[in-house]
Amino acid sequence: MKLLDYLKNNLLYLDGGMGTLLQAEGLQPGEHPERWNYEHPEVIVKLQKMYFDAGTNLIISNTFGANVLHFELEELDKIVKHALENARTAAAESTGTQEKFVALDIGPTGRLLKPYGDFDFEEAVAVFAETVKLGVKYGADAIFIETMNDSYETKAALLAAKESSDLPVLVSNAYSEDGKLMTGASPAAMVAMLEGMGADAIGVNCSLGPKALAPIVEQYLEKASVPVLLKPNAGLPRDVDGKTVFDVLPDEFSDDVAELVKKGVRICGGCCGTTPDYIRATVAKTKDLTPVEVTKKNITCVSSYTHAVEFGASPILIGERINPTGKKRFKQALVENDIDYILNEGLAQQEKGVHILDVNVGLPEIDEVEMLKKVSFELQAIIDLPLQIDTTDVAAMEQALRRYNGKAMINSVNGKEENMKAIFPLVKKYGGLVVALTLDENGIPDTAAERVAIAEKILKTAESYGIEKKDIIFDTLAMAISADPNAAFATVNSLKEIKERLGCHTSLGVSNISFGLPNRDFVTSTFFVMALENGLSAAIMNPHSADMMKTYYAYRALHGYDENCADYINFASNFVPAATAGAAAPQPAATQQEFKSALQKAVVKGLKEQAGELTAKLLEETAPLEIVQNEIIPALDIVGKGYEAKTVYLPQLLMAAEAAKSAFEKIKAAMSTGNGGTAAKCSFVLATVKGDIHDIGKNIVKLLLENYGFDVVDLGRDVAPELVLEEVKKLHAPMCGLSALMTTTVPAMEETIKLVHAEAPWCKVVVGGAVLTQDYADRIGADKYAKDAMEAVRYADEVNASLK
């Protein structure tokens, strides 16, 4: 029986934490567990047989870190071959009579993708693809992508799996205590993207125990139309007599998992700390439960790297200003490659309260493929709104969708057979909500009935590509009433019919209705109301129009979409009547943020080029130290406090740091010419501990520490304790920071701490990483546990101040 066929009517049981068992078998700190597949195959077979005997259906191969970044291709081939052979042998030797399958395990690379790191998206896809191809070669039943804490890397792995195999793909992400991924994605955002790209099952693993993960799992169950999986830790790790133990025992673990199975989880197992006893207890308590049916949720949505935007009762606003049509200055920006101008257009619309940004860069005199890819990428680096990819160039559309971090809105497809044949395969492959224009080979029909007929044809064709109607939003085409007085009625009647009879959502470029008329906002805002009353779900509009924004807030209040009229009151309280027609609408107070200067705003918003240019200008009359103290550090503090308060996410923190870095480069150049100076802070030695090749967290800490003026020495990954000590003593560094992602490498962290404290007692040791807790850090002797990069910076500042 095939895996997905089995899953239709059964619960699927996964295995538990291999790292925990391998340590008990003698895996040494710093040793690659993947090499045990061919060095100690009998141990791997024994352990995996224990899981099969406990009731596991799907063994996940011992290939978590197996990729070409860590192993030469020849050895990688050997690792994957033996890993899958070992799992097959374990299945054959097991006494269990249940259905048995083997999945190729794929974990994160340990690298942070651009723009926040130095690893390109296509490089990541290629790395994952090499491992996937070997999994196919050696007979895996499925691909299991797990412990991903970055939505973008998750997409790269899933894309590689889909492009390099036709195997079922299960995808699991590791969430923090705040219910978000490290780079800010919510469960709803991950469901939108992963479902859209065709993952066969999705869910949660690692990080926390089942009880702590329950709220996240419940969000998956609410949103997902595919099976949901759960693979939690045995609670949190702690050190007892030099041995890592976990605080949730099998009985409690299985009780908590069973409750979530009753709510709809279809695939369950364990991660760090879960032995076969955990799986055995889970199977015993759930095997007689009737699996909850997986149902279609029919949610129409798009997503960014942080959140999903759902289309429903309350209207969605799509900002139209990133578009060269009728905009001379915007055209100039495209021709001159002035990306900062375009980014500022996006930021301005975000501040006005739009939910989605339309992105159109189509000009004959530029390379639209490269420009659309670049603009979309740069916008997503600093703005967390979903984007509408707006182009008639199919090649440009594919490149933008391929690198898009989330589920994009795609503008557009139409009823022409040739057009649907070109666009629908892209929608199916990359996922997305596609705007469907009600026109075909005969042009735009005059009547509502004819436009609805085209909509029906589009739906039928989309279905043949496997695209559900929830992922199609219809644009019934607003035409100028100055040319056709019946144009508005044809449009709104089409909206009403599509919404009520076909059950689909709708979108319009509402300003087209007033083309050729004076005071266009008068007509456009009134038509906006007409369209909303007839089923309009989303409007592509100008958020700087006072009339349009008044209509939007008033409509939501009148229809009960605005609880206690709070948004309307906020908007109206800050409204200043326009002196002239077309004056910009005031932004709601909730989106306003006061900045001391243009440089401070550029740093906070992550505008690298602008930050550098503004700093260079300030240096003409201001000392470097004054700029650092009065402009850059306060800006970083704004972002840092927002990050600590969970109102700013890691990507925004990193982009602000990059903007500050751009400013500092100008300051360093001025210092080299003798134009003032700035006081450097103390040395700080950083390293990922021996045996651990994951350096995302370390690199983030490094970037922030450097921006706060520390002299950082980065020793890299897989660093022996003796090398850390040597550098600390050489610099007489008052601080060093150690990072570890895996439980198997925490002993190396403890060894390093003991050595530094013994030989360099003046040095404070800061530790961090996904597997650490305050209690664990205390037990291994760390001076400070930093749960995130900003906490490490705050502590470093305290230590530096104490040295003076």
Side-chain angles (χ1 to χ4, degrees):
M1 182 180 291
K2 292 188 176 181
L3 177 66
L4 295 184
D5 291 332
Y6 181 80
L7 186 55
K8 287 177 183 176
N9 300 306
N10 298 277
L11 296 174
L12 185 75
Y13 297 104
L14 306 174
D15 55 14
M18 278 293 287
T20 307
L21 300 186
L22 286 172
Q23 282 181 309
E25 293 288 336
L27 180 72
Q28 296 301 304
E31 194 175 2
H32 289 283
E34 294 82 11
R35 288 196 171 114
W36 277 46
N37 288 309
Y38 63 84
E39 291 177 346
H40 307 286
E42 72 287 351
V43 175
I44 302 300
V45 170
K46 180 182 75 170
L47 299 181
Q48 292 180 333
K49 177 181 177 296
M50 290 166 59
Y51 281 117
F52 272 133
D53 289 345
T56 289
N57 298 114
L58 180 64
I59 283 288
I60 299 166
S61 64
N62 182 35
T63 55
F64 181 79
N67 60 59
V68 291
L69 294 178
H70 308 144
F71 303 97
E72 294 295 328
L73 187 57
E74 183 178 353
E75 184 180 17
L76 180 63
D77 185 293
K78 185 177 180 180
I79 286 170
V80 174
K81 177 179 184 289
H82 283 80
L84 293 174
E85 285 178 353
N86 292 338
R88 294 289 183 203
T89 301
E93 294 181 0
S94 168
T95 58
T97 59
Q98 74 276 18
E99 290 283 339
K100 301 183 184 71
F101 307 95
V102 175
L104 174 75
D105 192 26
I106 291 182
T109 62
R111 302 274 297 276
L112 192 60
L113 272 65
K114 294 177 180 178
Y116 316 117
D118 60 358
F119 199 34
D120 185 74
F121 178 79
E122 292 295 351
E123 288 184 276
V125 173
V127 166
F128 290 125
E130 290 289 354
T131 305
V132 171
K133 290 172 187 174
L134 292 173
V136 173
K137 177 180 177 181
Y138 294 114
D141 296 311
I143 308 295
F144 194 92
I145 298 167
E146 66 165 324
T147 323
M148 294 286 178
N149 55 17
D150 173 19
S151 61
Y152 209 24
E153 187 174 27
T154 309
K155 175 172 181 172
L158 179 54
L159 188 59
K162 287 291 185 179
E163 290 184 335
S164 303
S165 81
D166 57 4
L167 296 174
V169 186
L170 294 74
V171 184
S172 185
N173 289 102
Y175 287 83
S176 303
E177 291 179 344
D178 64 356
K180 310 282 187 183
L181 297 190
M182 178 187 72
T183 48
S186 69
M190 294 310 299
V191 171
M193 182 180 76
L194 296 175
E195 260 195 29
M197 290 182 65
D200 296 289
I202 58 179
V204 181
N205 81 288
C206 205
S207 306
L208 306 164
K211 194 183 297 293
L213 287 176
I216 299 169
V217 174
E218 287 166 359
Q219 291 181 64
Y220 268 77
L221 293 170
E222 178 187 351
K223 304 293 184 183
S225 299
V226 297
V228 171
L229 70 88
L230 170 63
K231 202 171 186 284
N233 288 350
L236 296 172
R238 52 193 174 87
D239 181 81
V240 176
D241 298 328
K243 184 179 179 181
T244 301
V245 299
F246 290 79
D247 62 3
V248 177
L249 298 178
D251 190 51
E252 181 186 353
F253 178 94
S254 54
D255 280 344
D256 293 339
V257 172
E259 286 303 310
L260 290 167
V261 169
K262 292 174 185 177
K263 292 181 179 181
V265 166
R266 293 293 298 268
I267 305 171
C268 56
C271 206
C272 300
T274 56
T275 65
D277 289 338
Y278 287 76
I279 306 306
R280 187 175 295 107
T282 299
V283 172
K285 291 176 182 177
T286 59
K287 62 184 175 62
D288 295 327
L289 296 176
T290 301
V292 176
E293 183 181 359
V294 178
T295 59
K296 297 288 185 183
K297 304 304 189 296
N298 296 318
I299 297 171
T300 296
C301 69
V302 293
S303 68
S304 67
Y305 69 86
T306 61
H307 67 284
V309 172
E310 292 187 16
F311 293 73
S314 186
I316 299 299
L317 301 182
I318 304 172
E320 68 178 11
R321 303 298 296 172
I322 300 178
N323 189 316
T325 305
K327 303 180 185 71
K328 183 178 179 181
R329 178 64 184 90
F330 194 89
K331 289 180 181 178
Q332 180 186 347
L334 290 175
V335 172
E336 296 176 355
N337 198 33
D338 185 355
I339 299 300
D340 265 8
Y341 178 85
I342 300 170
L343 297 181
N344 276 301
E345 282 284 352
L347 288 168
Q349 291 180 95
Q350 182 182 40
E351 290 170 356
K352 296 298 184 187
V354 301
H355 307 100
I356 300 168
L357 290 177
D358 182 75
V359 183
N360 185 319
V361 297
L363 274 184
E365 56 264 48
I366 67 170
D367 182 342
E368 186 178 354
V369 175
E370 286 302 314
M371 183 58 76
L372 185 59
K373 182 171 69 174
K374 182 175 184 178
V375 169
S376 300
F377 179 78
E378 295 287 350
L379 281 166
Q380 283 207 294
I382 67 165
I383 295 174
D384 69 346
L385 297 181
L387 304 182
Q388 175 170 265
I389 307 301
D390 187 354
T391 180
T392 58
D393 186 320
V394 176
M397 180 181 290
E398 175 162 22
Q399 286 302 308
L401 289 175
R402 186 173 179 84
R403 287 179 173 262
Y404 183 79
N405 191 356
K407 179 180 179 180
M409 197 163 178
I410 305 168
N411 193 0
S412 60
V413 72
N414 59 54
K416 296 178 182 179
E417 292 295 337
E418 184 180 356
N419 183 263
M420 290 188 285
K421 187 177 180 180
I423 302 301
F424 280 146
L426 299 183
V427 178
K428 180 63 178 174
K429 179 175 182 177
Y430 297 107
L433 174 63
V434 63
V435 178
L437 309 179
T438 53
L439 63 86
D440 60 12
E441 288 83 356
N442 297 315
I444 302 172
D446 293 328
T447 68
E450 291 172 298
R451 296 185 194 185
V452 174
I454 292 174
E456 291 177 313
K457 180 176 73 170
I458 291 172
L459 285 175
K460 185 176 180 180
T461 305
E463 187 179 5
S464 71
Y465 284 89
I467 299 168
E468 300 177 48
K469 71 177 184 180
K470 73 180 180 67
D471 287 326
I472 299 177
I473 184 167
F474 284 99
D475 184 335
T476 58
L477 300 165
M479 307 301 291
I481 57 171
S482 59
D484 178 3
N486 295 313
F489 290 106
T491 299
V492 297
N493 289 340
S494 303
L495 289 176
K496 186 178 179 68
E497 185 78 358
I498 287 172
K499 185 68 175 288
E500 295 180 357
R501 185 162 69 83
L502 301 186
C504 294
H505 289 284
T506 56
S507 173
L508 279 178
V510 290
S511 63
N512 294 338
I513 203 76
S514 61
F515 185 79
L517 297 174
N519 289 318
R520 291 180 61 185
D521 281 356
F522 297 173
V523 176
T524 302
S525 60
T526 303
F527 174 68
F528 187 24
V529 176
M530 287 178 61
L532 290 170
E533 293 290 0
N534 282 277
L536 182 66
S537 307
I540 305 174
M541 46 77 72
N542 177 11
H544 299 292
S545 163
D547 288 316
M548 286 295 290
M549 297 306 287
K550 282 189 289 184
T551 297
Y552 169 73
Y553 284 107
Y555 178 88
R556 290 185 71 251
L558 288 165
H559 285 74
Y561 304 141
D562 183 1
E563 188 174 356
N564 298 320
C565 300
D567 292 338
Y568 174 79
I569 291 169
N570 186 39
F571 172 80
S573 298
N574 291 279
F575 183 77
V576 178
T580 59
Q587 64 188 45
T591 66
Q592 290 176 342
Q593 186 171 14
E594 295 297 328
F595 295 102
K596 180 180 178 181
S597 67
L599 175 57
Q600 191 178 90
K601 181 176 181 179
V603 171
V604 171
K605 297 298 183 181
L607 298 170
K608 293 179 288 186
E609 291 184 14
Q610 189 172 333
E613 291 168 0
L614 290 168
T615 301
K617 189 172 181 180
L618 272 176
L619 283 166
E620 294 174 3
E621 53 188 35
T622 308
L625 181 59
E626 189 176 334
I627 296 173
V628 172
Q629 292 178 335
N630 298 337
E631 302 282 351
I632 300 175
I633 296 300
L636 288 171
D637 282 339
I638 290 172
V639 183
K641 289 173 182 176
Y643 179 70
E644 291 166 331
K646 307 301 182 185
T647 59
V648 167
Y649 299 109
L650 179 62
Q652 295 159 290
L653 181 71
L654 294 180
M655 292 312 295
E658 287 292 344
K661 184 177 179 181
S662 178
F664 275 123
E665 286 173 356
K666 300 295 183 182
I667 288 170
K668 288 177 182 177
M671 290 166 55
S672 68
T673 61
N675 184 18
T678 183
K681 295 179 180 177
C682 64
S683 298
F684 196 116
V685 176
L686 271 178
T688 299
V689 298
K690 183 179 179 182
D692 205 313
I693 43 73
H694 299 84
D695 63 356
I696 291 176
K698 171 183 67 64
N699 290 346
I700 293 167
V701 172
K702 175 186 176 183
L703 180 61
L704 293 180
L705 284 171
E706 286 177 338
N707 278 329
Y708 274 82
F710 288 91
D711 180 16
V712 181
V713 177
D714 181 5
L715 299 179
R717 301 176 288 175
D718 191 15
V719 181
E722 293 79 14
L723 291 179
V724 175
L725 175 63
E726 181 183 339
E727 195 66 25
V728 166
K729 293 174 73 173
K730 174 183 173 184
L731 300 172
H732 201 78
M735 284 177 286
C736 78
L738 304 176
S739 174
L741 176 73
M742 303 180 293
T743 55
T744 54
T745 57
V746 173
M749 178 179 280
E750 182 176 12
E751 182 184 350
T752 306
I753 293 170
K754 288 179 178 178
L755 186 62
V756 170
H757 281 167
E759 301 291 331
W762 64 84
C763 183
K764 302 292 184 184
V765 182
V766 187
V767 298
V771 295
L772 292 174
T773 63
Q774 182 66 61
D775 180 63
Y776 207 168
D778 291 342
R779 288 176 180 272
I780 62 176
D783 296 293
K784 173 67 178 179
Y785 162 63
K787 69 179 186 298
D788 56 42
M790 280 309 304
E791 189 165 338
V793 170
R794 302 292 187 220
Y795 179 71
D797 265 336
E798 290 176 11
V799 173
N800 184 72
S802 71
L803 299 174
K804 297 178 180 178

